[in-house]
Amino acid sequence: MYGDIITIGEAVTVCLFSIVTVFIVLLVISYIVDLTAFIIRKIEKPAAAPAPKAAAAPAAAPAAAPAKKDTTADAVIVAAAVAAYLGTSTDRIIVRSIRRVAEAESSWSQTSRFSSAH
């Protein structure tokens, strides 16, 4: 069928066959990944299920207020990190407050930014 001279029609046939083959293989790989994720979820689900609780106590005690977290150690760690970043001593840095900021970028972009900075 295909010899030394290939016509445009034969080239299009080979091209379309190749594209369809690649698409089918990628579809099969996608289904294999989905099946693997389903199996892993199925296996992990029974292990993560909580044990059945005993009969509830007739009078529940009021919930205790959550203990305040000591942020002194956190402030020291943040001050040391800022001092190291700025190349100065911790005597020149005052940490007034620490608050968590929502991540605006993905972990992929954070990793890229950190690795390219060094």
Side-chain angles (χ1 to χ4, degrees):
M1 175 175 166
Y2 301 112
D4 292 336
I5 300 173
I6 299 176
T7 65
I8 296 292
E10 292 171 339
V12 169
T13 304
V14 170
C15 182
L16 290 177
F17 180 76
S18 300
I19 289 172
V20 170
T21 302
V22 169
F23 179 75
I24 290 173
V25 169
L26 288 174
L27 192 63
V28 168
I29 290 172
S30 173
Y31 285 133
I32 290 172
V33 168
D34 289 342
L35 179 67
T36 305
F38 175 75
I39 291 171
I40 289 173
R41 274 188 259 122
K42 201 71 159 174
I43 290 172
E44 289 178 352
K45 192 172 187 177
K53 294 183 179 180
K68 264 193 157 181
K69 184 179 177 185
D70 183 24
T71 58
T72 306
D74 293 340
V76 171
I77 293 170
V78 169
V82 170
Y85 179 75
L86 296 175
T88 184
S89 69
T90 55
D91 299 339
R92 302 185 72 196
I93 297 174
I94 298 173
V95 177
R96 297 183 195 273
S97 68
I98 301 172
R99 58 189 166 103
R100 186 174 301 272
V101 178
E103 294 181 21
E105 54 187 18
S106 69
S107 60
W108 286 99
S109 59
Q110 287 177 357
T111 303
S112 171
R113 183 168 42 92
F114 288 137
S115 64
S116 65
H118 296 95

